[in-house]
Amino acid sequence: MLTEIKGICPIIAAPFTKDGEVDYKSLDNLVKALIKGGCHATTLFGIAGEYYKLTDTEREKMVEVCVNATKEAKGKLIISVTDHSTEVAVKRAKYFEKMGADCLMILPPFFLKPGAKWLYDHMKAIADAVKIPVMAQYAPEQTGVAIPPETFVKLEKECPNMIYYKIECKPAGPYVTNLMTLTGGKMKIFVGNAGFQLIECMDRGAIGAMPGCSMFDVYLDIFNNYVSGNRDDAIKAHDELLPMLNHIRQNVEQIIYFEKKILKRRGIIESDYCRKPSFATDDYFEKLFDEFYDKMAKKYNW
């Protein structure tokens, strides 16, 4: 019986000390805070987790810390396979499975823009190499690689454990509907893109979201109201979140920067350091952020 994943599964931030070293103590605390706070799973090495700024040694230690923290807090852990070589990605997937991942997420290779066949073969090779559930991530804005819905449908049919899909193209809604239509409503889809289209995509059949982790309780509020039938309350909570998202997610490095500021202010991580290159803020960015933060903090008792 494969582990079931659904709901709010935020991307784990990569905490660093003020000197730029990985802060494993804060990482442990972050994972436990997310699980104890009600998150249905957590996700390591997502794009917003700065995987591309880590050494192999750091990544291995982070896997160990997150697996142990997840077991202690009785949660579920998704780990993303981001390697561009199929051979290396398969080895990495087997290693993550052996370490204790509950599910794998695949970021398909995008350097030098491999063709559709290579992308399909890459994802299928990973799914075939492990027994745990596998998720495909579709993030063309970040990768520059387009994947037609039919590719994911083919994977769905040929790989029994390839059962989840994180969709964050723009617009995401029609793509979600295409996947659901092509599979008779069977596709298990998560929303990406910081949950901007969370309500719409759940209306279209999505089963959860994988946003940043700093405002996890806000996303849980939206999701729990929605699945409980309180759609109007879900929309209201989502509407209150959107001004903050609109401000802090104008590019990926920007949301990483502000996510860490929120996590630090909430006392979840020790430092909000971002490895360079990072986002260059200014006084007005900070002023507007403070205004939005104060409103959210008051409502959710941060």
Side-chain angles (χ1 to χ4, degrees), residues 12-247:
I12 300 168
F16 300 112
T17 67
K18 61 182 181 180
D19 298 319
E21 299 299 320
V22 177
D23 183 352
Y24 298 107
K25 182 178 179 180
S26 284
L27 178 63
D28 175 83
N29 191 63
L30 171 57
V31 173
K32 291 175 181 175
L34 295 174
I35 296 171
K36 293 177 181 179
C39 293
H40 302 86
T42 60
T43 309
L44 183 62
F45 302 141
I47 293 174
E50 297 179 275
Y51 75 87
Y52 47 91
K53 296 180 181 179
L54 301 167
T55 68
D56 285 344
T57 300
E58 289 170 337
R59 291 174 68 189
E60 290 177 3
K61 178 65 175 178
M62 289 176 71
V63 169
E64 180 182 343
V65 170
C66 289
V67 166
N68 290 337
T70 299
K71 289 180 179 178
E72 186 175 335
K74 296 180 171 53
K76 297 176 184 177
L77 178 64
I78 303 165
I79 306 181
S80 185
V81 178
T82 60
D83 303 277
H84 287 260
S85 159
T86 301
E87 291 83 355
V88 175
V90 166
K91 291 179 181 178
R92 192 86 65 183
K94 290 180 178 179
Y95 167 72
F96 291 160
E97 179 180 43
K98 181 180 178 181
M99 287 296 293
D102 296 290
C103 176
L104 299 180
M105 181 166 71
I106 302 172
L107 180 64
F110 54 88
F111 187 66
L112 300 183
K113 307 298 184 290
K117 179 184 183 302
W118 293 111
L119 293 172
Y120 173 82
D121 289 348
H122 181 91
M123 291 185 283
K124 186 175 187 302
I126 293 172
D128 287 344
V130 298
K131 296 180 180 179
I132 58 177
V134 177
M135 175 188 301
Q137 180 179 10
Y138 184 43
E141 182 181 26
Q142 285 75 38
T143 66
V145 174
I147 303 175
E150 290 78 9
T151 298
F152 293 136
V153 173
K154 185 179 180 183
L155 284 167
E156 172 92 4
K157 292 179 179 178
E158 297 189 1
C159 305
N161 61 329
M162 189 76 162
I163 52 179
Y164 299 111
Y165 299 83
K166 181 185 181 184
I167 305 302
E168 44 193 341
C169 53
K170 294 181 179 179
Y175 198 96
V176 170
T177 293
N178 282 340
L179 288 174
M180 297 300 285
T181 300
L182 290 169
T183 60
K186 295 180 180 179
M187 195 70 92
K188 296 180 179 179
I189 296 171
F190 285 83
V191 183
N193 190 31
F196 268 105
Q197 293 80 32
L198 177 55
I199 301 293
E200 176 196 348
C201 288
M202 291 189 70
D203 283 346
R204 292 175 181 264
I207 62 171
M210 303 174 75
C213 64
S214 69
M215 298 182 286
F216 66 90
D217 39 2
V218 182
Y219 290 99
L220 284 166
D221 186 27
I222 298 167
F223 178 82
N224 290 334
N225 271 303
Y226 187 97
V227 298
S228 298
N230 303 319
R231 190 173 183 277
D232 289 345
D233 290 337
I235 291 173
K236 181 180 178 182
H238 191 254
D239 287 347
E240 292 171 350
L241 171 65
L242 288 177
M244 172 69 93
L245 289 184
N246 187 60
H247 176 54

Side-chain angles (χ1 to χ4, degrees), residues 237-287:
H238 191 254
D239 287 347
E240 292 171 350
L241 171 65
L242 288 177
M244 172 69 93
L245 289 184
N246 187 60
H247 176 54
I248 69 175
R249 199 195 183 283
Q250 298 179 56
N251 65 52
V252 177
E253 291 289 359
Q254 184 177 2
I255 197 169
I256 290 170
Y257 172 86
F258 282 112
E259 283 265 329
K260 289 187 176 182
K261 284 184 74 72
I262 296 171
L263 288 169
K264 181 182 178 182
R265 286 193 185 186
R266 296 186 64 177
I268 298 174
I269 63 174
E270 185 71 23
S271 166
D272 57 10
Y273 185 93
C274 296
R275 281 185 173 173
K276 301 174 179 61
S278 183
F279 171 70
T281 189
D282 65 18
D283 290 342
Y284 187 75
F285 271 124
E286 298 294 334
K287 176 179 179 295

